[in-house]
């Protein structure tokens, strides 16, 4: 009996390798491998519809994620607050509302509470009352009242013109006028600065005086529903707010005041500063009273006056001003 001699491990591995290669070759002849895929051409013939389009490069977000780069997703835009649903506001939103002031701040404040249908009629009435014979309260009240009367009469006069538009033929629901002044501790009335030098002197005086008062006279007028004399209802109010400036040793030296004046932020404002802007951060230490009054209009009180002249005509309210002509 012929027995194959025992092979050493190395010989056996060679034998198995040859046997495996032969077997693999035999199988590969029975099942030939698929032909290699040709590479994409660098240029594509537009008429060759069988040519696949080149792959689009990954987007920035996909590429960043593939490399593990964290992304900060933008928050969705949040809708603004819903409008105030107050009877007087709901009434005035559908009516003709006249603002007798060119102040962009007063207009923005009324827009913010939902009165976006304002017509701006700046008053041309000269503000020439004698400050020496009027107290600050009397001065600001009389000035606001004069503005309201002048604009109300101008609106009625525009209605009588033959070329008046349909919108101008409608009677105004209300006319809102206001005037703001600064009263120093000594009772001096300050309005807008007249020059850069005057601006510096004004702010220095307010700083050295420690505090001052901001007075805003508000006057609201509406036509009377029964057309009784004098044909309109008018109410007024004076809002008083105390504002404290910082001391020189607390961060408000002369060079800070001069630097603020050069920003021109307060050039068109009574007292020469803006509480809602840089002035409120570098000049003002604290406020006692209505903040929106310092900005230019005590909004809450203005709405109360609108309610009086529209919904409560003829009522006597203690503490509110009435027109002497009535």
């Amino acid at each position: 009996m012929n027995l194959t001699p025992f092979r050493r491990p190395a010989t056996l591995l060679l034998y198995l390798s040859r046997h495996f290669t032969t077997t693999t070759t035999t199988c590969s002849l029975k099942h030939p491998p698929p032909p290699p895929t040709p590479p994409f051409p660098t240029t594509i013939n537009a008429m060759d519809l069988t040519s696949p389009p080149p792959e689009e490069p990954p987007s920035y977000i996909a590429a960043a994620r593939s490399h593990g780069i964290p992304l900060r997703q933008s928050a969705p835009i949040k809708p603004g607050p819903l409008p105030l649903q107050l009877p007087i506001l709901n009434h005035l939103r559908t009516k003709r509302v006249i603002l007798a002031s060119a102040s962009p701040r007063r207009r923005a404040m009324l827009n913010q509470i939902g009165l976006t249908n304002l017509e701006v009629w700046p008053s041309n009435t000269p503000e020439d009352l004698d400050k020496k014979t009027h107290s600050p309260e009397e001065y600001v009240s009389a000035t606001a009242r004069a503005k309201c009367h002048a604009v109300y009469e101008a609106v009625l006069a525009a209605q009588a013109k033959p070329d008046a538009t349909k919108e101008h033929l409608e009677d105004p629901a209300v006319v809102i006028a206001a005037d703001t002044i600064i009263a120093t501790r000594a009772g001096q009335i300050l309005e807008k600065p007249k020059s850069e030098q005057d601006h510096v002197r004004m702010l220095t005086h307010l700083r050295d005086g420690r505090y001052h008062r901001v007075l805003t006279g508000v006057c609201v007028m509406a036509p009377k529903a029964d057309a009784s004399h004098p044909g309109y209802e008018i109410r007024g109010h004076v809002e008083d707010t105390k504002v404290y400036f910082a001391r020189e040793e607390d961060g408000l030296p002369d060079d800070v005041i001069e630097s603020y004046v050069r920003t021109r932020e307060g050039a068109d404002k009574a007292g020469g500063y803006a509480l809602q802007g840089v002035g409120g951060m570098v000049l003002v230490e604290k406020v006692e009273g209505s903040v929106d009054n310092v900005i230019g209009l005590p909004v809450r009180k203005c709405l109360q006056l609108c309610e009086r002249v529209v919904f409560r005509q003829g009522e006597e309210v203690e503490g509110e001003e009435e027109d002497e002509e009535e």
Side-chain angles (χ1 to χ4, degrees), residues 5 32 54 60 72 84 175 184 202 233 258 296 299 316 320 324:
Y60 287 122
R72 180 182 178 184
L84 284 172
V175 175
T184 66
M202 185 178 292
E233 188 90 0
E258 293 167 0
V299 175
E316 299 293 336
E320 286 186 356
E324 293 83 356

Side-chain angles (χ1 to χ4, degrees), residues 100-137:
S101 173
S103 169
R105 293 166 296 281
R106 291 177 183 140
R107 183 175 186 177
M109 295 168 78
L110 292 173
N111 286 167
Q112 192 172 358
I113 61 171
L115 289 180
T116 57
N117 57 323
L118 296 173
E119 288 184 41
V120 176
W121 286 61
S123 171
N124 296 322
T125 303
E127 301 177 18
D128 54 0
L129 294 176
D130 189 353
K131 297 181 178 65
K132 296 180 180 179
T133 59
H134 291 78
S135 69
E137 291 83 357

Side-chain angles (χ1 to χ4, degrees), residues 96 119 121 154-171:
R96 191 179 179 196
E119 288 184 41
W121 286 61
V155 171
L156 297 183
Q159 289 178 323
K161 293 182 178 180
D163 59 346
T165 63
K166 182 179 179 180
E167 292 78 11
H168 287 170
L169 291 175
E170 179 185 357
D171 288 336

Side-chain angles (χ1 to χ4, degrees), residues 231-271:
Y232 54 81
E233 188 90 0
I234 187 169
R235 290 291 184 274
H237 171 75
V238 175
E239 189 75 12
D240 189 342
T241 303
K242 185 180 288 187
V243 178
Y244 288 79
F245 266 27
R247 295 184 177 90
E248 184 174 4
E249 60 271 20
D250 292 334
L252 191 55
D254 292 345
D255 60 338
V256 173
I257 290 178
E258 293 167 0
S259 178
Y260 176 74
V261 168
R262 286 192 292 269
T263 69
R264 299 293 188 270
E265 180 186 74
D268 63 337
K269 299 171 180 62

